[in-house]
Amino acid sequence: MTFVAKLQALRTLMAEQKIDAYIITAADPHISEYLPAHYKAIPFFSGFTGSAGTLVITKDFAGLWTDSRYFTQAEPQLQGSGYELVKLKVPHTPEYIEWLSEVMPENATVAFNYQLISVALALEIQAGLEKQHIQIVDADLIGPLWSDRPALPTEKAFLIAEKDAGLSISAKLEQVKAQLKTVGAQSHLISSLDDIAWLFNIRGKDVDYNPVALSFALITLQEAKLFIDAAKLADNDINTLKQQGVTLYPYAAINDALKELPSDSAVFIDFKRNCFGLYQLLPATIKVISGINPSTHLKSLKNETEINHIRKAMVQDGVAMTRFFKWMEERLGEEQITEWSAAEKLAAFRAEQPGFAGLSFNTIAGFNANGALPHYSVSLESSLEIQPEGLFLVDSGGQYLYGTTDITRVMPMSNYSAQQADDYTLVLKGLIEGSKLVFPEGTKGYQIDSICRKPLWEHSINFGHGTGHGIGFFLNVHEGPQNISPANVDVPFKPGMVTSIEPGIYRPGSHGVRIENLVLCVNHGSSVFGNFLSFETLTLCYIDTRIVNKALLEAGQLSWLNAYNNRVFDQLQPHLSAEEASWLKAKCQPI
């Protein structure tokens, strides 16, 4: 079926079920960022492959709501599909709710699959439409039309050893139960796969880039129930879970378990990380307490074992990055190198490293104009050949058995413009200012964000994405609860949090610059004014200085840059060949 035929089939089902508008979200029952193929309904119906977007279909309009990261990508992908691109004014907001309230008549019916939408979003839709007396209903119109739909993944999962996790499963469960007692809850539903992976020291391969396994968890003050296909686990892992106080149930048994919760009890639920379908199964009289999953806070504070492993992963990743850029420099001009082949070569260098378990996200490899697309997705068909003029941006990362990495570097070609050099230097200034920041205990991400942006703002330049996100320990590359962005996220930075710092400048049709390191929040010291924190830079990969406009750097920024590159060489040199070390030493010379 063509996309237009699928759209017509959707409208036929809508008419049969008396549905006036149908919403398709980019989600699964776990409200994951990256989805198993079984749940990738938006590309199936529209052709749009970006990770953030929502389809809304009425009898006479079909639109994709997405943000500026995907405007350039969405327009050609939607061409001829029957869907129009609707540009979000504010990223990550459901602006289609207001649109529906304006175009839908009173007493209309709006439907979506309750299993594929968060509690928070479903309640927001409900509240936004009730003034028009618009009814929302549960309807799965995806399954009946997707005849060759991929099955749910059945990949094997495994437990990581307690010595590698730094904390036993039972100890983590006790931490969660203690927080349940604090809020007065007798049970806690967890659907988010990375929270479950951290809590039960379990890793899997059910979702691309995220080492997680499809599962649910229900924690009570007396027991811990893990809902997972037991065939995924080896017998010794099942025995370990039982010894740690975990009872296994089939994946689908979560439905009955929720219905059977005591009606006079209280359950703790993260409305943003559980689906509306499970929420609807709770007994009507049960008390619901909402908030961020306790495990989300707990796993953000990396323990010493995790931190030491992460440092090891950074060395391995730095070796791979060094070999990649050396290869690029030596082979460019000697052979054809495209965005696609460069990304493949980088993945191959990472795969040679001990403990490599896969990429942490789809590599962004953008030459010149493609570098101006923050979430550019290269394909073999669209890949540009890299020429010796301009800038090549590479945002990539690896999953290792002992850590997760995420790094962005920009490689200048032999010819570049003065504007490109200035943009590169201003972005570098933003990275440096954030990296060397000392700040009081209690500081939030939005306060740090403005400091990173200040060097750009001084030149009337800004960028449309956040400056940083949390990183998991051999887990999701995007992790909360902390971030660095203009959004007023009420989460203070604490020692043990690992976060990216990644300012950027994007000039559509010309070039993009983003430089990204991962940093660890650490104690800096105390004074009569209180406790202070700072960042330890974890990422180990040289920052190219050939393109730096020294006139734009202050003395302290130049000192930081030279010291950083010197540290990169000192830590990577023992793991490189003599030829590789000599090449890197030249790259790390002070300027």
Side-chain angles (χ1 to χ4, degrees):
M1 293 174 69
T2 65
F3 294 125
V4 171
K6 292 174 186 176
L7 179 57
Q8 183 55 51
L10 264 176
R11 285 179 167 143
T12 298
L13 281 180
M14 289 168 59
E16 291 173 356
Q17 299 185 31
K18 295 181 171 51
I19 294 170
D20 299 296
Y22 192 67
I23 300 171
I24 301 177
T25 57
D28 62 7
H30 307 276
I31 316 303
S32 305
E33 176 185 11
Y34 292 99
L35 306 177
H38 180 81
Y39 293 109
K40 294 182 178 180
I42 290 180
F44 172 78
F45 280 105
S46 70
F48 174 68
T49 59
S51 62
T54 302
L55 299 180
V56 180
I57 301 100
T58 68
K59 67 178 181 179
D60 51 17
F61 181 80
L64 167 77
W65 273 254
T66 192
D67 62 58
S68 59
R69 296 171 297 168
Y70 299 102
F71 290 168
T72 303
Q73 174 184 343
E75 287 177 343
Q77 288 186 333
L78 294 178
Q79 192 168 8
S81 68
Y83 291 86
E84 294 183 23
L85 171 63
V86 183
K87 298 181 177 181
L88 287 175
K89 301 180 182 69
V90 181
H92 312 297
T93 57
E95 294 174 2
Y96 54 84
I97 299 176
E98 183 177 356
W99 179 82
L100 284 169
S101 70
E102 293 173 351
V103 302
M104 288 287 101
E106 282 201 7
N107 303 312
T109 297
V110 172
F112 44 83
N113 188 335
Y114 284 8
Q115 299 294 318
L116 306 181
I117 195 165
S118 71
V119 178
L121 181 53
L123 294 177
E124 189 173 355
I125 293 172
Q126 191 174 52
L129 300 181
E130 64 183 2
K131 59 186 176 184
Q132 293 294 107
H133 306 290
I134 295 173
Q135 180 186 14
I136 66 167
V137 298
D138 183 18
D140 177 15
L141 305 188
I142 297 170
L145 300 178
W146 198 348
S147 58
D148 58 347
R149 189 174 190 175
L152 288 175
T154 57
E155 298 286 346
K156 294 291 185 181
F158 61 95
L159 298 188
I160 57 175
E162 183 180 323
K163 66 178 180 62
D164 294 324
L167 206 58
S168 68
I169 299 168
S170 58
K172 292 179 178 181
L173 288 169
E174 288 305 312
Q175 289 181 333
V176 171
K177 290 177 182 179
Q179 295 202 24
L180 295 185
K181 291 177 183 178
T182 300
V183 299
Q186 288 77 49
S187 59
H188 173 37
L189 170 64
I190 311 176
S191 297
S192 44
L193 300 180
D194 59 328
D195 283 296
I196 295 170
W198 177 85
L199 187 57
F200 295 95
N201 286 344
I202 192 170
R203 299 296 187 269
K205 299 179 180 179
D206 284 345
V207 180
D208 288 344
Y209 311 119
N210 295 344
V212 295
L214 294 184
S215 50
F216 296 99
L218 188 61
I219 313 299
T220 71
L221 300 179
Q222 293 76 36
E223 61 181 332
K225 300 179 179 181
L226 177 61
F227 300 82
I228 188 171
D229 179 2
K232 290 178 176 289
L233 296 168
D235 289 343
N236 61 320
D237 285 340
I238 292 174
N239 290 333
T240 298
L241 287 165
K242 290 179 179 178
Q243 292 166 7
Q244 294 286 315
V246 180
T247 306
L248 297 184
Y249 292 86
Y251 177 69
I254 184 64
N255 291 356
D256 289 337
L258 292 177
K259 295 175 186 176
E260 294 166 3
L261 284 173
S263 58
D264 59 349
S265 65
V267 60
F268 187 92
I269 295 182
D270 189 330
F271 279 9
K272 291 184 177 180
R273 309 204 74 189
N274 283 280
C275 73
F276 195 54
L278 293 184
Y279 174 77
Q280 293 288 96
L281 296 176
L282 295 170
T285 57
I286 201 169
K287 180 182 179 182
V288 175
I289 301 171
S290 65
I292 297 175
N293 288 331
S295 49
T296 300
H297 288 285
L298 292 168
K299 70 178 165 57
S300 73
L301 305 178
K302 309 301 185 280
N303 59 53
E304 282 304 313
T305 299
E306 292 174 318
I307 290 169
N308 289 333
H309 283 314
I310 291 169
R311 290 193 179 109
K312 180 181 176 182
M314 295 299 169
V315 172
Q316 303 293 353
D317 211 58
V319 169
M321 293 294 295
T322 299
R323 289 173 177 162
F324 168 69
F325 282 121
K326 180 176 183 292
W327 172 83
M328 281 284 296
E329 186 173 279
E330 292 173 350
R331 302 312 303 164
L332 198 62
E334 300 296 321
E335 63 182 81
Q336 184 186 59
I337 299 177
T338 66
E339 296 167 329
W340 177 267
S341 65
E344 291 289 292
K345 189 68 176 180
L346 177 53
F349 280 124
R350 278 200 170 98
E352 295 173 355
Q353 298 303 309
F356 179 75
L359 300 181
S360 58
F361 58 97
N362 188 31
T363 299
I364 299 168
F367 176 59
N368 282 347
N370 285 342
L373 308 175
H375 282 239
Y376 172 62
S377 180
V378 64
S379 68
L380 184 60
E381 296 75 24
S382 66
S383 179
L384 294 178
E385 182 178 355
I386 300 170
Q387 304 287 347
E389 184 170 339
L391 305 177
F392 178 49
L393 183 152
V394 183
D395 187 348
S396 64
Q399 293 285 6
Y400 299 85
L401 296 178
Y402 36 78
T404 301
T405 68
D406 183 3
I407 174 175
T408 308
R409 290 293 185 267
V410 172
M411 179 181 180
M413 301 295 108
S414 54
N415 295 306
Y416 52 83
S417 69
Q419 184 184 65
Q420 289 171 334
D422 286 353
D423 285 350
Y424 183 95
T425 308
L426 292 176
V427 169
L428 177 58
K429 282 166 68 78
L431 170 76
I432 294 172
E433 287 302 288
S435 302
K436 67 187 186 71
L437 184 65
V438 177
F439 50 95
E441 196 173 55
T443 298
K444 315 290 176 59
Y446 59 85
Q447 296 168 301
I448 298 172
D449 180 81
S450 62
I451 291 169
C452 298
R453 292 176 190 264
K454 182 175 180 290
L456 283 68
W457 287 349
E458 289 173 343
H459 292 261
S460 302
I461 297 172
N462 201 9
F463 54 94
H465 57 75
T467 301
H469 55 83
I471 305 281
F473 166 68
F474 183 30
L475 259 179
N476 293 9
V477 74
H478 294 145
E479 178 181 280
Q482 85 281 9
N483 69 15
I484 303 175
S485 79
N488 186 9
V489 175
D490 190 24
V491 176
F493 269 68
K494 296 180 180 179
M497 288 181 168
V498 176
T499 313
S500 70
I501 299 180
E502 47 182 311
I505 294 176
Y506 310 97
R507 298 189 185 273
S510 176
H511 64 273
V513 177
R514 184 168 63 255
I515 307 175
E516 173 188 16
N517 281 342
L518 303 188
V519 296
L520 170 68
C521 184
V522 297
N523 286 306
H524 185 79
S526 300
S527 71
V528 295
F529 299 99
N531 298 323
F532 284 77
L533 308 174
S534 59
F535 290 130
E536 171 196 334
T537 297
L538 297 172
T539 301
L540 294 171
C541 177
Y542 78 97
I543 296 174
D544 204 314
T545 57
R546 291 174 295 171
I547 192 174
V548 170
N549 180 354
K550 286 178 63 176
L552 291 175
L553 289 182
E554 300 167 13
Q557 295 164 346
L558 184 61
S559 176
W560 184 96
L561 175 61
N562 288 331
Y564 173 74
N565 274 345
N566 183 64
R567 184 165 70 88
V568 167
F569 175 75
D570 286 345
Q571 294 199 31
L572 295 187
Q573 184 266 337
H575 306 276
L576 301 171
S577 69
E579 181 185 347
E580 291 165 346
S582 176
W583 181 88
L584 180 60
K585 186 174 183 178
K587 293 296 179 185
C588 294
Q589 288 298 305
I591 60 170

